[in-house]
Structure formats: structure tokens, C-alpha cells
Amino acid sequence: MQNTVTPTHCPYCALQCGMHLTPAPDGTVEVGERADFPVNRGALCGKGRTAPAVLSSRVRLTSPLVRSGDGALVPASWEEALDRVAEGLGRTRAEHGADAVGVFGGGGLTNEKAYALGKFARVVLGTSQIDYNGRFCMSSAAAAGIRAFGLDRGLPFPLEDVSRTGCVILVGANPAETMPPALRCFTGLRENGGTLVVVDPRRTRTAEQADLHLAPRPGTDLALALGLLHLVVAEGRTDEAYIRERTTGWEEARAAAMAHWPEYVERVTGVPVPRLREAVRLFCEPEAAMVLTARGPEQQSKGTDTVGAWINLCLATGRAGRPLSGYGCLTGQGNGQGGREHGQKADQLPGYRKLTDPLARARVAEVWGVDPDSLPGPGRSAYELLDALGTDIRSLLVMGSNPVVSAPRAAHVEERLRALDFLAVCDVVLSETAALADVVLPVTQWAEETGTTTNLEGRVLLRRRAITPPEGVRGDLEVLHGLAARLGGERGAEKGFPTDPEEVFEELRRASAGGPADYSGITYRRLAEGDGVFWPCPAPADPAPTTAGTSGNAPPTTAGTSGNGAPGPGVHPGTPRLFLDRFATEDGRARFAPVTHRAIAEEPDEEYPVLLTTGRVLAQYQSGAQTRRVDELNAAAPGPFVELHPRLAQRLGAAEGDPVAVVSRRGRAVAPARITTAIRADTVFMPFHWAGEGRANTLTNPALDPTSGMPEFKACAVRVEAVRP
């Protein structure tokens, strides 16, 4: 394999940037540019460039670990480790019932792993208690998209369209730090004469590049969107013909918006009325415009309604289902899109089918060779599942997630994990969650395995194996195969859990056929020959989905747009742009959401007078389980901090770098002060990548959105205290 160049994709964010990997003679792996891949055109951030560092045996796990009699984790054989996991899960199932066993997945798992994990939970374990950390990523945007359009795909158009539109309102997103290669699209937007409006309570690196920066109080994005829609109506900027021909529910949504007059919105959000009017002008004057959201408006206890209000703004101005226009979500995790499409989410079956739909259950059960009535119903959402550990749920299998750091009210979640009868974790490294486990299974990672992911555009991609994994490491598919063999009994369930990813994908294709996320026309060969394929992509013998709302049968217009070059006759080209003909609802019309502003779940008071918001930094990723093991990234971002305004720092008597404590009703975190005018005086910011005393999610509020199950990470009441020697 020496000197073999393998085209593949980055293991981190949802851009899934293209890269080349070349094994070096010293055993390391070199990353090279892949300039022909249309998403990043060769550009890579520091995380992508240094990703091979985690392949080193110096930082990763290379042997199964089991809990010894004295409480220590000690090396064990794979047979012993798998036997212990099967015994732990099986004992719980026998003594307490199938739903006493939980499964917690991750948005970084490949499509094949996510599919197999969902099937394993429902067919082998028979449990309804499966969800994944992607619930914490963009579930509110997904719920709002389904409600409005009948279909959820992060971006309903290729990322390259962003640079060609007239205006983008970017809400609660900081791509300059979270997905730097995407910043070229926003730079291109402005170079092409378009404008960028950034909505963020902080003046981030992205906000510094905006034509207009709106800095609302955290948790008030819903009021802001409704205030902008009020002005659109008042100024006569609605597209009445579009509303009449392509939407329903406008009268109710308009009435709700008109209750949010500009002066009221200014009081709620802190954004001056002239800036509201300027945002409306910039958005409405061009022929085409977009609204893109990320975790800011979504990670709220009213996130679904908040995103719905921004979608309303697009619909009222005729900016959805038209070229170079629309609403989109910047997905966070590497396979956050595909991870929720194929069955590891509590309420879904493969192909983005609803678990409660009898026809969907019958279709998937047929592929799986089981009775539809044997499939359990929907289970708990992610935080609800974690909250039930040690009580209703007695054993847990975790694959590709680190909730000790990433979950809200993290100290409580850690307590619940410790209360389990049995915990097994599959991971690349000994994460904070794995360190609590009874059994830890070391699994392969991106460069050591083949599999597909689906990026933020809905582009299905092929990650290729570039190197051989170390001895002692197995793939997640091998883990599920081994557990199915031990737990499947006379059914021989392991036969339904192959270890070859292409074989799993072939079954996934059949299971997704005819569903909203139809992959049946996508093959490994097609993916290997091009730049990916956009779903939905029905198989040649299948009709296009009747509710897809696509122009998917049209040939690609430019190289890189269809993602697979020029498919042969009769082969579906994939669907780069959704909703150009109709939306994916029964009547083909988009639905307005009649939403009104409401307060966050926990408003500041005398005891907790400041708002906390959380987010990411450039050099770290998610819970930091991998990036915190890379020297170069740690040098750039060595630890947590508390960003606060100079006025607040002065009241505390805190100087730059002094330790300060942030205290909420759930706990206390301590980190150095970072004093800046880039944040509102009533708000503090903490990144959430670290464990220990600086763990931001010790503080965050698990108040859930009633529709999406998303916790309110982005706004909770805290007080800030100086830490004296």
C-alpha cells in the first residue's frame, strides 16, 4: 500500500471535504489536496489536515478493555469482550425486558453503521430505546423542514449556489470557525455583488465579514424572524402570486407575525429597528435570496418554531423552491444528515420512513425478513433516554458518542451512566464516556474503513479505506455481527449483519427504496466514479418518489452539480435541487407555520442575572474526544474559556486570563476569562469541547423542544463569579 494515493473525505464536519491520503514509509499518513472535489476545491481546515494524528497508536485504543474486579479497565481478548457485552445486554433483557436495554449512536457513523445499528436495536435486541447525538445537532431544523416542505434535507441545493444568490441571512452560524472551507462560498457571494447578513449575539469571525450584523439577545431569534416578516408585510414586499400558487396557511402565519411590531421586537431582541429594516431591504431587493440556520436558533426549547419562522420569511417573499433561493440548514456532524435517515433515530426507519407508518414498517420488515408486528414503536429522544439510565434503562450500548461532555446537564448524565447495571462503549479513543464503561471496544476509524456518508447538501459520498487498521482493532460492523451471533439465538441473526460495508449498503438501498430519502439508485461504483450523488435517487426500475418535490429527472446542468458526472441512459441522475416543481407535501404546497414568540425556558433573575450561550472554536471539534489528542490543535486551543464583555469583567474585578466561575442551577464551571467587546454585555460564551471543571455542558439546560426533542443548549440563566486565590 506504500505510495498508494487514496481519494477520500475528512472525518469531521458535514462538509465532508475531499482529500487524498498517502501512507508514508515511516508509518504515518500524509494528507493531500483534492482540488477537483466541488465542496472544498482542495481547501482544508486545521482539523482536516491533522486528522491522521488520531490514527497513531499513541493516542488511540488498540485492544478491548474490560472492567476488572478491582475496578480498573484492563486489556482483554475480543472474544472475552464480546461475550461480556452480550451477557450484560442479554441479562438485562431477560430480567427487565427489551426496553431496559438502550442504544446510543452518533452522527459521525457511516450510513452503513447507522443502518446496521438501528436494525440491531430493533431486530436483535427488540428495544425501542435507541437514539443518537444527532438529536443535539439539527433535529429542530429537520422537524421544521418536514412541517413546511414535507421533507428534510440540510441544504435543498448544492453549497455552490450560495455564492450565486443575491443575499444570505446566516442565523446562528459561524462557518469561519466551524467549517472554514465553506467560507469561500460567502466570500464569493460578496465578490459577486451579493450581501451577507449575520445573526449572532457575538461578533464572530464570520460576523466580521458581514454587510450587516444583528446581535440579538440569546433565545430571541424567533421574535427577530417574526419582526422581519412583520416589516415585509408592512412594506408590501410579499410575493402574493407565489403565496397563492405554492403555499398554504398564510393568513394564520401573517396574523401571528403582525403581532410582533418592530418596536416590540427591538425591546425583546435588543436589535434596533433601523437594523431590522435594513435586513429586510437587503433580503428583499435581490431577485434571489436564502436563509441558512445552524445551531444558534435550533438548539432552543422552541427551536422548531424558530426555524419555522425563518422558513415563513422565505415563503412570504417567494424564496423557496426557486433557483438560487430557499431555506437551508448547515448540518454540523460529519454524517449528521445520513445518520438520521437510516434508523438510529428513535422514531425513524431506513429511508427516512416513519416508524409509526404501517406501510413503512411492512416494507422494512420485508427487507429484514421479520414480522412487521415484531418491530418496536418509537422510543425516547436522546436526552430523555440518557435521563432514564439506571432506572427504566439498565444497560446501554454506545457507539460513536461522548455524552459525558456533549449532553446538556452533563454532570447529571454522568451520574446516570454510572448508575447503569452495564455499559459498553465502541470508540476510537478512551473518551470520558468510555472511561466509565464495563467494556470498551476499540474500533476502526475513517482512513481504515470504507463506507458512505451524506454531507450537508444531501450528497452521498464514498469514504475509502486507505490503510490497514492496527492489530487488535475491529470495525463497528464486525462488532454488531459478533453481538448478533451471540444474542440472536436460534434465529441466526448474525446472518443479517454482514461485515462488508458494500453488502450492508446494498441492503440499505433496498430498505430505502420508495422512501423520502431514496438511495436505491446509488451504488458504490457510481460513488467511486464521481463526486457523489444527491438523494433522492430512485433505482432505474423504480418511479421517482411521488412526494419528493424534485426536478430529479432533469440532467445535471454543470459538472459537479449532479455529483456523478453524466449517468447512463435510464439512470436517475440524483437530485441536486429540491422543490423546483413542487414541495414534498401531499398537495405539493409548502406550509406556513403560525408561530409566536415565547421566552426561553429559563430567563435571568436576581440570582442568575446573565445569559450563557455555548458553541465551538476553530481548532476543536464537538466533544473534543479526538481533536484534544492532536498536539497542533491543542496548541491553538488548549482549553476552555469564558468570553465576557468588559463591563461585566469590571463589575467582577476580573482581568484577562483570570479564572472565573459560571454557575447555573445545574452546576458550576471554572475557566479563564477572555474579555472582549465582541459579545453582548448581558451574555457570556463558553465552548463545549472540554471535560473537567471547565465543562460548559455542566451548566446547560435540558429543557426540550416539544416537537424535536432538542435541548436548550443556547440559552440559560447563570451568574458569573471571580475566583479568588
Side-chain angles (χ1 to χ4, degrees):
M1 190 175 289
Q2 295 293 332
N3 300 319
T4 299
V5 178
T6 303
T8 190
H9 297 273
C10 178
Y12 291 118
C13 83
L15 289 179
Q16 288 296 281
C17 292
M19 58 171 59
H20 286 117
L21 295 182
T22 306
D26 63 359
T28 61
V29 178
E30 297 176 354
V31 173
E33 292 185 0
R34 188 175 165 190
D36 60 336
F37 185 63
V39 175
N40 63 309
R41 302 290 182 190
L44 293 170
C45 72
K47 294 184 288 292
R49 286 188 296 98
T50 61
V54 188
L55 298 168
S56 169
S57 59
R58 181 177 63 86
V59 300
R60 57 98 55 86
L61 296 168
T62 56
S63 170
L65 303 173
V66 299
R67 190 73 61 182
S68 67
D70 63 3
L73 283 172
V74 298
S77 70
W78 267 97
E79 293 308 304
E80 179 187 357
L82 289 173
D83 285 347
R84 285 209 191 188
V85 176
E87 190 215 350
L89 301 180
R91 183 174 61 250
T92 295
R93 184 177 60 179
E95 295 178 359
H96 302 285
D99 275 357
V101 181
V103 177
F104 200 81
L109 301 180
T110 62
N111 290 318
E112 292 80 1
K113 294 178 187 180
Y115 172 84
L117 187 62
K119 180 181 178 183
F120 175 80
R122 296 181 174 104
V123 173
V124 176
L125 297 176
T127 182
S128 65
Q129 300 305 305
I130 175 172
D131 211 76
Y132 79 129
N133 63 17
R135 176 79 69 169
F136 301 156
C137 178
M138 58 172 292
S139 58
S140 293
I146 292 171
R147 185 169 67 183
F149 307 129
L151 186 70
D152 156 47
R153 198 179 82 183
L155 294 182
F157 40 71
L159 187 63
E160 63 187 5
D161 282 5
V162 171
S163 63
R164 299 165 55 204
T165 192
C167 176
V168 172
I169 299 181
L170 188 62
V171 189
N174 183 17
E177 298 197 62
T178 58
M179 46 179 62
L183 201 62
R184 67 178 181 84
C185 295
F186 299 100
T187 302
L189 165 73
R190 299 186 70 201
E191 290 175 348
N192 292 334
T195 56
L196 175 63
V197 179
V198 171
V199 179
D200 199 303
R202 304 166 60 225
R203 189 165 181 79
T204 63
R205 296 185 187 186
T206 305
E208 288 174 353
Q209 302 187 35
D211 297 278
L212 179 65
H213 173 212
L214 307 181
R217 182 174 179 266
T220 63
D221 311 84
L222 177 51
L224 179 65
L226 290 165
L228 296 181
L229 183 53
H230 177 113
L231 287 170
V232 165
V233 175
E235 295 176 5
R237 296 180 183 271
T238 56
D239 187 332
E240 295 297 327
Y242 174 94
I243 292 170
R244 185 171 55 254
E245 295 166 6
R246 299 203 61 185
T247 72
T248 61
W250 169 233
E251 294 302 323
E252 296 84 352
R254 180 176 60 185
M258 296 312 289
H260 298 75
W261 59 95
E263 291 76 15
Y264 164 74
V265 171
E266 178 178 314
R267 289 198 302 273
V268 170
T269 66
V271 178
V273 171
R275 285 182 166 264
L276 299 176
R277 295 188 184 279
E278 178 66 2
V280 167
R281 183 188 70 81
L282 292 175
F283 184 69
C284 292
E285 284 189 351
E287 183 177 347
M290 299 174 180
V291 172
L292 304 178
T293 68
R295 305 303 78 76
E298 299 162 18
Q299 288 181 327
Q300 298 183 28
S301 59
K302 54 182 183 295
T304 301
D305 285 354
T306 301
V307 174
W310 289 105
I311 292 174
N312 286 352
L313 183 65
C314 292
L315 295 177
T317 54
R319 305 305 177 91
R322 284 179 168 173
L324 305 181
S325 288
Y327 164 78
C329 170
L330 299 181
T331 309
Q333 295 192 78
N335 197 31
Q337 182 69 51
R340 70 181 178 279
E341 293 171 359
H342 298 300
Q344 65 172 335
K345 190 165 174 278
D347 56 353
Q348 286 175 196
L349 288 170
Y352 223 144
R353 289 183 162 95
K354 294 180 179 179
L355 190 53
T356 54
D357 180 354
L359 293 178
R361 293 170 66 87
R363 169 62 180 167
V364 173
E366 179 184 13
V367 174
W368 288 352
V370 299
D371 185 339
D373 292 337
S374 71
L375 297 178
R380 293 172 171 89
S381 67
Y383 180 78
E384 294 171 309
L385 188 157
L386 296 172
D387 189 41
L389 300 180
T391 53
D392 293 342
I393 299 174
R394 308 296 292 269
S395 292
L396 182 69
L397 172 65
V398 177
M399 187 172 284
S401 188
N402 188 19
V404 167
V405 178
S406 63
R409 198 186 174 196
H412 172 72
V413 169
E414 183 175 347
E415 289 177 0
R416 301 325 309 150
L417 285 161
R418 292 181 185 276
L420 285 165
D421 295 342
F422 181 79
L423 172 63
V425 175
C426 303
D427 211 329
V428 171
V429 298
L430 190 66
S431 69
E432 287 76 14
T433 303
L436 303 179
D438 297 286
V439 179
V440 183
L441 302 176
V443 291
T444 53
Q445 47 184 311
W446 62 290
E448 302 162 348
E449 60 188 13
T450 294
T452 62
T453 61
T454 307
N455 80 346
L456 78 171
E457 310 164 296
R459 186 194 299 254
V460 185
L461 303 164
L462 182 65
R463 279 194 201 157
R464 298 166 174 86
R465 175 170 163 162
I467 59 172
T468 302
E471 186 177 352
V473 172
R474 295 186 182 180
D476 294 280
L477 296 179
E478 293 178 271
V479 170
L480 294 175
H481 177 89
L483 292 177
R486 288 163 170 80
L487 290 163
E490 296 180 357
R491 291 176 295 169
E494 77 278 7
K495 295 179 182 178
F497 293 86
T499 60
D500 176 42
E502 186 169 8
E503 188 175 347
V504 177
F505 189 79
E506 287 299 303
E507 183 177 304
L508 183 159
R509 291 177 61 209
R510 297 196 302 275
S512 73
D518 191 334
Y519 282 32
S520 60
I522 305 173
T523 64
Y524 268 35
R525 179 176 178 179
R526 283 188 71 177
L527 297 178
E529 291 175 348
D531 296 325
V533 180
F534 292 83
W535 70 259
C537 182
D542 295 337
T546 57
T547 60
T550 70
S551 296
N553 293 312
T557 56
T558 59
T561 299
S562 74
N564 64 311
V571 176
H572 195 287
T575 313
R577 295 173 179 87
L578 295 168
F579 313 137
L580 296 181
D581 300 327
R582 66 193 309 274
F583 294 98
T585 56
E586 290 185 2
D587 59 5
R589 293 171 174 264
R591 301 186 182 97
F592 280 96
V595 296
T596 58
H597 175 68
R598 59 185 185 272
I600 59 175
E602 187 179 76
E603 287 283 0
D605 56 21
E606 290 185 4
E607 187 177 3
Y608 301 97
V610 177
L611 282 168
L612 168 71
T613 192
T614 63
R616 288 173 47 188
V617 297
L618 176 61
Q620 300 289 351
Y621 180 73
Q622 303 301 75
S623 76
Q626 296 179 25
T627 52
R628 284 187 276 119
R629 288 166 168 80
V630 179
D631 292 341
E632 181 180 330
L633 300 179
N634 282 332
F641 58 86
V642 180
E643 190 175 275
L644 66 162
H645 192 274
R647 291 205 296 271
L648 178 56
Q650 185 178 24
R651 290 201 299 272
L652 297 172
E656 180 76 16
D658 285 353
V660 295
V662 183
V663 184
S664 78
R665 290 177 173 86
R666 289 154 294 281
R668 183 174 188 264
V670 178
R674 183 172 294 182
I675 302 171
T676 175
T677 57
I679 193 167
R680 292 172 54 98
D682 59 2
T683 301
V684 294
F685 167 83
M686 290 187 72
F688 59 77
H689 309 290
W690 288 273
E693 70 171 3
R695 180 174 60 185
N697 278 321
T698 296
L699 309 167
T700 48
N701 190 356
L704 302 182
D705 181 292
T707 303
S708 68
M710 170 72 82
E712 193 151 60
F713 288 100
K714 288 302 182 190
C716 69
V718 298
R719 65 174 181 267
V720 187
E721 303 169 342
V723 177
R724 305 303 178 192

